[in-house]
Amino acid sequence: MLITSSWCYLALAALAVLGAVVADGPKELMIQMKYPIDFDWPDEGTRETALADGSYKPINTIPTGIKVFKNIVYLCVPRWYDGIASTLNVVEGKKYEIGKQPKLTPWPDWSWQNASDCDRGIAFSMSVEIDPKGRVWVLDTGNNNLYERDTSLHKFFCPPSVLVFDAETKELLTRFHLPEEIASPETNFLNDIVVDPVNDWAYISDNDGKWREGRGGVIAVQPFNKTATRLQGLTTNPEKRAESYIMGGKRWNSNNPVNSIALHPSGDWVYYAPNTGYIVHMISTADMQDTSLTPQERDARSLVVGQKPTPSASLKFASNGTMFFSGLTMDAMLAWTWGGGLLDNTWWVAYQDHEDMQFLDQLDFDERGYDTPNPEGSNLWWITNQLFEFVFNKEAKDWTVNIFKAAVDTSDYGDAIMDGEMTVTYVPTSPASDGDGDGIALASDATSDASSLLFTNMSAFTLMLALITFQW
């Protein structure tokens, strides 16, 4: 292939534009935590009592979920095991010296950490979302200790629920206990949440424990009018080919269903993917909100977005249509611009660190224009926690939680939904069906390519390919 210098320069310039979409600033380690992670107790006597009666077990305490708002970092500590004193916490969003890790302050306060209070308690929160209106959307599974081998420790306190608070006043605005047909009290694992701040719809991944019975699912919730729907079926189940992979030099065996979820900045499409898998699917928010459809009918309407190069624990859209996602086997954060064709081979590495970015669990943007050179940009935050070390070798107490941030020239998907400026037309060509009978919906089963996606703006990557192809 012969490319003249002018065409080459144009292609490289297009690629440079693409790279500028994301990783503008270097990553900065803000917080590092190691065992034991402690809390901001009312007094030392309360802490000693909690240690003595087992309501605080440092060996079981590790943060997984992160959200940032008004310089406050919200951290979820899942109650997988017994002895988690507080499941939802905050720390100040500043840089801490290595070796001087902050104590976790329960949020909204200590009284809300009562797992058995179904009205004013939070049993188990894996994730929260904070929308541009300053509302904190909290997931609560209602159960505790389901990872304990001793089943007598498994607790089922309340129905799973979605709570919405005012971030500033900490006032509870609403709480919606999900019906059993939407989320099982015994086996639900409400994992991640995204929010349409205009229409007050939330979309949730349910990493349900009974995935072998087809229980992994995606939930749509309007908590203010107490409406909920569910999607489940082939597209929410794990992929057999991804059940074993290497992270941190060790083999990870996984069989988790749908885990990651993202909302496109148009507010029109929900993306989701299993933790054990490579395929990303999408479904329209209109279909998710349509109460006349069954969970299986929604599953049949899902479309294949493409394949990631690695299993992931999180997906996140920026306001400009760039999707970030964790790369578990690559110790990296990857990115992809909606509009460059199928996800396959159009992603790129935004940040990577084989030492300090093992198991990137969740990521988030703080407010647009806050503490960043670009008033239209923000800071991208993410948490890594070596979760495989915690799960497989917890007794060694040899894991590290790192919280990073980096300035980027974009902001949260919720900002774009509030602005109402992102429009997209999608021409579906193939559902996310199992086209080859192997029980897995693969990107290769779909017939669409870049030409089947029509967007208001052609991405820089597509432009580069177009320039090269034309010259060829």
Side-chain angles (χ1 to χ4, degrees):
M1 178 177 65
L2 176 65
I3 305 178
T4 64
S5 59
S6 59
W7 284 103
C8 184
Y9 290 144
L10 284 171
L12 292 175
L15 185 58
V17 170
L18 177 66
V21 169
V22 190
D24 306 298
K27 74 181 191 301
E28 181 180 9
L29 179 61
M30 302 298 289
I31 304 171
Q32 185 175 89
M33 292 183 279
K34 295 177 179 287
Y35 173 90
I37 291 176
D38 208 347
F39 298 90
D40 184 13
W41 298 89
D43 53 68
E44 186 59 27
T46 303
R47 180 180 184 275
E48 292 301 320
T49 299
L51 285 169
D53 66 20
S55 57
Y56 170 44
K57 295 180 179 180
I59 198 169
N60 289 342
T61 304
I62 188 170
T64 58
I66 184 171
K67 289 293 181 291
V68 184
F69 186 72
K70 292 191 179 301
N71 206 38
I72 299 296
V73 179
Y74 293 70
L75 294 172
C76 293
V77 180
R79 282 175 166 151
W80 287 322
Y81 300 98
D82 191 28
I84 306 303
S86 174
T87 188
L88 179 54
N89 310 273
V90 294
V91 298
E92 187 179 350
K94 67 177 185 180
K95 187 177 180 65
Y96 292 82
E97 291 183 35
I98 300 298
K100 294 184 178 181
Q101 64 193 41
K103 293 182 178 181
L104 306 184
T105 300
W107 197 93
D109 55 37
W110 274 107
S111 69
W112 277 93
Q113 307 308 318
N114 182 357
S116 61
D117 189 335
C118 298
D119 295 320
R120 297 190 63 81
I122 304 172
F124 179 134
S125 184
M126 189 71 180
S127 295
V128 304
E129 180 63 296
I130 306 176
D131 66 31
K133 295 180 179 178
R135 298 176 299 180
V136 184
W137 300 62
V138 181
L139 296 180
D140 185 3
T141 67
N143 52 43
N144 274 192
N145 313 334
L146 297 191
Y147 279 20
E148 293 283 1
R149 292 186 177 181
D150 182 356
T151 57
S152 68
L153 295 174
H154 296 186
K155 305 296 182 184
F156 307 98
F157 295 110
C158 308
S161 61
V162 177
L163 303 84
V164 185
F165 293 90
D166 183 289
E168 184 174 354
T169 66
K170 302 181 182 178
E171 175 190 1
L172 178 65
L173 303 177
T174 190
R175 181 170 200 159
F176 180 28
H177 292 289
L178 301 179
E180 188 167 355
E181 66 270 18
I182 298 298
S184 166
E186 289 77 24
T187 63
N188 89 86
F189 192 97
L190 304 184
N191 185 77
D192 204 356
I193 178 172
V194 290
V195 171
D196 176 345
V198 173
N199 300 299
D200 293 337
W201 278 90
Y203 305 92
I204 301 162
S205 58
D206 181 9
N207 193 256
D208 191 282
K210 287 192 175 181
W211 66 265
R212 293 184 187 277
E213 301 175 15
R215 284 292 303 172
V218 175
I219 298 170
V221 177
Q222 218 292 6
F224 293 97
N225 66 20
K226 306 299 188 281
T227 302
T229 69
R230 184 178 180 91
L231 176 159
Q232 69 182 54
L234 174 68
T235 66
T236 59
N237 285 338
E239 298 173 28
K240 186 174 181 58
R241 60 178 177 151
E243 288 182 351
S244 181
Y245 47 86
I246 302 295
M247 288 189 301
K250 298 180 181 179
R251 183 161 296 279
W252 172 268
N253 295 310
S254 170
N255 56 7
N256 291 320
V258 60
N259 181 85
S260 308
I261 194 163
L263 182 59
H264 186 267
S266 65
D268 294 335
W269 296 94
V270 177
Y271 284 60
Y272 60 95
N275 179 252
T276 304
Y278 302 91
I279 303 300
V280 179
H281 293 96
M282 63 186 287
I283 185 168
S284 73
T285 53
D287 283 340
M288 286 302 302
Q289 296 172 21
D290 186 348
T291 57
S292 70
L293 298 175
T294 68
Q296 291 72 30
E297 286 173 334
R298 293 188 189 89
D299 182 67
R301 295 190 180 198
S302 297
L303 302 167
V304 172
V305 178
Q307 298 190 77
K308 300 180 279 84
T310 166
S312 298
S314 58
L315 308 172
K316 183 79 171 184
F317 264 113
S319 59
N320 65 0
T322 298
M323 186 178 78
F324 296 85
F325 56 98
S326 61
L328 297 184
T329 62
M330 300 170 65
D331 305 322
M333 181 195 302
L334 309 179
W336 169 69
T337 294
W338 215 60
L342 287 173
L343 174 58
D344 312 53
N345 302 318
T346 62
W347 52 268
W348 71 95
V349 175
Y351 295 98
Q352 187 173 42
D353 190 323
H354 293 299
E355 294 296 324
D356 292 334
M357 284 181 57
Q358 294 181 14
F359 206 101
L360 196 167
D361 209 331
Q362 204 170 71
L363 45 91
D364 189 45
F365 297 94
D366 57 19
E367 306 99 283
R368 181 164 54 186
Y370 177 79
D371 190 29
T372 178
N374 184 349
E376 295 301 312
S378 65
N379 291 294
L380 178 60
W381 294 70
W382 65 95
I383 183 170
T384 66
N385 54 24
Q386 292 187 299
L387 194 59
F388 50 90
E389 293 288 353
F390 175 79
V391 171
F392 290 132
N393 195 22
K394 188 170 51 168
E395 299 297 328
K397 307 170 186 176
D398 186 25
W399 43 262
T400 300
V401 175
N402 289 321
I403 296 176
F404 297 95
K405 81 168 184 178
V408 293
D409 284 337
T410 185
S411 63
D412 188 77
Y413 69 93
D415 294 328
I417 295 176
M418 290 285 289
D419 295 341
E421 296 177 354
M422 176 71 75
T423 58
V424 145
T425 301
Y426 184 86
V427 181
T429 60
S430 176
S433 60
D434 177 27
D436 53 14
D438 62 359
I440 302 174
L442 298 178
S444 57
D445 294 333
T447 59
S448 71
D449 58 17
S451 64
S452 69
L453 300 174
L454 303 177
F455 300 87
T456 54
N457 295 295
M458 181 181 289
S459 73
F461 185 80
T462 306
L463 176 60
M464 180 190 72
L465 291 180
L467 291 173
I468 294 176
T469 304
F470 182 87
Q471 183 63 16
W472 184 302

